[in-house]
């Protein structure tokens, strides 16, 4: 069965609004909620970037049913993996075991703020692998000291752990990263509906099988609005960064950089990639690419913080009904 989630987009809403959105998304029937973990918005027009982990603590208290997840946290530069291990365990406790730690190698936009530079992609992947190993060690509850290629841990212990271990979902983009991170992870995370990622994951020795306990978790932006022209305008204003692709997005350091890189992206270019307007069937068609590729979970992003409340109140319920009618195995 395909599960449908809602994205708590920290780049476009403040902390109080995100908590309200989380409660309402559970009420209307979403099965899980993911939260971005940013220090900067992608574009200044989005206008927000609260600390995700403070918000997650509050969200865990105003929800009771939905699973929660970071989508995704970089545990290598802005955060030391020992700190990530502690705060993920804490959210696991606060949520009564509903939390999954989503991890990735990060974006320069957020990680540059600590002045540690921006390593080449191969180094970032090495750091992520070691960080996952450190986090797993600390979740044993034992006293841990670690001296690796990238991280040191001195006599650390996580004192508060959930009854069931927090799962780890890792963002992958190709066969190389699948082979490396599949055996270290519980779930696959990807932002494109690529069947080759799911197939490679299930063919990787030591990786938990998707569809047999492991999940493949995707994400897709939509821009619902009763007025299609208004939806296209909002999507272009706030989400044209999406057109750059992740290879570009991971390296740009500032909102000004994203504004410059996307200055020639047209509204119609954005509308070609993001379903815009009131047509829920068009959203279902776009989302279907994920379940056809073998993904088990899909999180929706409603573009524009001011539009989230009307989306949840007017469109989310009927959209979820259509998605569940269309998805196989429902």
């Amino acid at each position: 069965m395909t599960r449908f989630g809602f994205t708590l987009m920290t780049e476009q809403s403040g902390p109080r609004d995100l908590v309200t959105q989380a409660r309402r998304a559970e009420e209307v029937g979403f099965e899980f909620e993911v939260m971005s973990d940013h220090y900067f918005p992608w574009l200044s027009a989005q206008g927000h970037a609260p600390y995700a982990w403070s918000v997650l603590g509050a969200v865990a208290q105003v929800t009771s049913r939905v699973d929660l997840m970071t989508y995704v946290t970089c545990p290598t530069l802005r955060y030391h993996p020992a700190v990530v291990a502690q705060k993920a365990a804490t959210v696991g406790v606060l949520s009564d075991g509903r939390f999954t730690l989503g991890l990735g190698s990060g974006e320069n936009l957020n990680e540059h703020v600590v002045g540690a530079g921006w390593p080449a992609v191969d180094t970032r992947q090495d750091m992520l692998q070691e960080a996952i190993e450190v986090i797993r060690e600390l979740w044993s509850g034992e006293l841990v000291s670690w001296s690796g290629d990238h991280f040191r841990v001195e006599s650390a212990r996580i004192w508060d752990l959930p009854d069931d271990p927090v799962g780890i979902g890792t963002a992958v983009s190709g066969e190389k990263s699948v082979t490396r991170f599949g055996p270290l992870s519980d779930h696959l995370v990807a932002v494109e509906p690529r069947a080759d990622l799911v197939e490679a994951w299930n063919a990787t020795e030591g990786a938990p099988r998707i569809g047999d306990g492991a999940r493949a978790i995707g994400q897709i932006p939509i821009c619902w609005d009763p007025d299609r022209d208004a939806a296209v305008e909002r999507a272009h204003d706030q989400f044209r960064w999406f057109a750059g692709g992740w290879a570009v997005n991971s390296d740009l350091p500032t909102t000004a950089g994203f504004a410059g890189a996307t200055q020639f992206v047209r509204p119609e270019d954005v509308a070609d990639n993001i379903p815009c307007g009131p047509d829920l069937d068009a959203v279902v068609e776009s989302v279907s690419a994920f379940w056809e590729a073998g993904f088990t979970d899909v999180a929706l992003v409603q573009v524009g913080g001011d539009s989230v409340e009307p989306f949840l109140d007017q469109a989310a319920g009927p959209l979820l009904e259509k998605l569940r009618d269309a998805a196989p195995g429902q």
Side-chain angles (χ1 to χ4, degrees):
M1 293 181 63
T2 308
R3 302 197 316 159
F4 300 103
F6 182 74
T7 299
L8 301 168
M9 195 79 172
T10 61
E11 301 94 303
Q12 66 180 22
S13 296
R16 291 180 180 273
D17 287 338
L18 290 166
V19 174
T20 300
Q21 292 167 19
R23 181 174 54 232
R24 185 68 182 125
E26 181 178 72
E27 290 172 350
V28 300
F30 285 99
E31 292 157 292
F32 68 100
E33 299 176 6
V34 305
M35 180 176 288
S36 52
D37 185 356
H38 269 233
Y39 203 94
F40 273 77
W42 297 103
L43 292 166
S44 296
Q46 292 178 308
H48 294 278
Y51 184 53
W53 292 88
S54 299
V55 180
L56 277 168
V59 166
Q61 299 309 294
V62 301
T63 59
S64 61
R65 176 183 55 79
V66 289
D67 289 336
L68 305 175
M69 180 180 182
T70 50
Y71 204 99
V72 291
T73 289
C74 176
T76 59
L77 291 170
R78 184 166 42 118
Y79 307 136
H80 191 284
V83 175
V84 174
Q86 182 191 35
K87 58 190 178 183
T90 298
V91 175
V93 172
L94 287 171
S95 64
D96 292 323
R98 293 182 286 129
F99 179 64
T100 297
L101 176 61
L103 297 176
S105 57
E107 296 98 12
N108 196 9
L109 178 69
N110 306 301
E111 306 308 314
H112 79 271
V113 298
V114 295
W118 185 236
V121 62
D122 287 344
T123 302
R124 300 200 305 269
Q125 297 281 305
D126 290 342
M127 295 173 74
L128 178 58
Q129 178 174 339
E130 187 174 325
I132 295 173
E133 294 168 354
V134 169
I135 290 167
R136 295 282 197 195
E137 284 287 323
L138 284 163
W139 283 349
S140 70
E142 302 296 326
L143 193 68
V144 173
S145 291
W146 180 283
S147 182
D149 293 332
H150 301 285
F151 302 108
R152 290 184 59 85
V153 178
E154 295 187 4
S155 301
R157 177 182 173 185
I158 306 299
W159 290 87
D160 292 281
L161 291 162
D163 293 335
D164 296 317
V166 172
I168 291 178
T170 306
V172 296
S173 58
E175 185 174 353
K176 183 178 178 181
S177 58
V178 166
T179 301
R180 170 178 279 200
F181 295 112
L184 298 173
S185 310
D186 301 294
H187 311 289
L188 176 154
V189 175
V191 294
E192 296 179 285
R194 290 174 49 187
D196 62 310
L197 296 178
V198 176
E199 292 164 359
W201 184 284
N202 280 341
T204 297
E205 184 176 356
R209 186 168 181 82
I210 293 167
D212 187 19
R215 295 149 53 196
I217 307 161
Q219 185 184 62
I220 183 171
I222 67 171
C223 195
W224 175 87
D225 195 283
D227 183 335
R228 186 178 185 277
D229 290 341
V232 171
E233 182 181 356
R234 184 171 68 245
H236 179 259
D237 180 53
Q238 297 195 23
F239 241 76
R240 65 185 182 275
W241 61 269
F242 195 74
W246 290 104
V248 174
N249 292 348
S250 65
D251 283 332
L252 292 175
T254 64
T255 54
F258 277 93
T262 59
Q263 62 182 312
F264 299 115
V265 176
R266 303 169 301 172
E268 55 265 38
D269 298 327
V270 176
D272 285 343
N273 289 282
I274 297 175
C276 294
D279 187 352
L280 299 183
D281 291 327
V283 176
V284 173
E285 183 178 357
S286 293
V287 175
S288 69
F290 280 92
W291 68 64
E292 290 170 358
F295 282 71
T296 61
D297 298 56
V298 187
L300 307 182
V301 180
Q302 167 63 13
V303 174
D306 291 343
S307 73
V308 170
E309 182 177 350
F311 166 75
L312 291 173
D313 287 345
Q314 300 173 42
L319 175 58
L320 284 169
E321 185 175 348
K322 284 179 174 288
L323 287 167
R324 288 170 181 146
D325 285 344
Q330 302 293 317

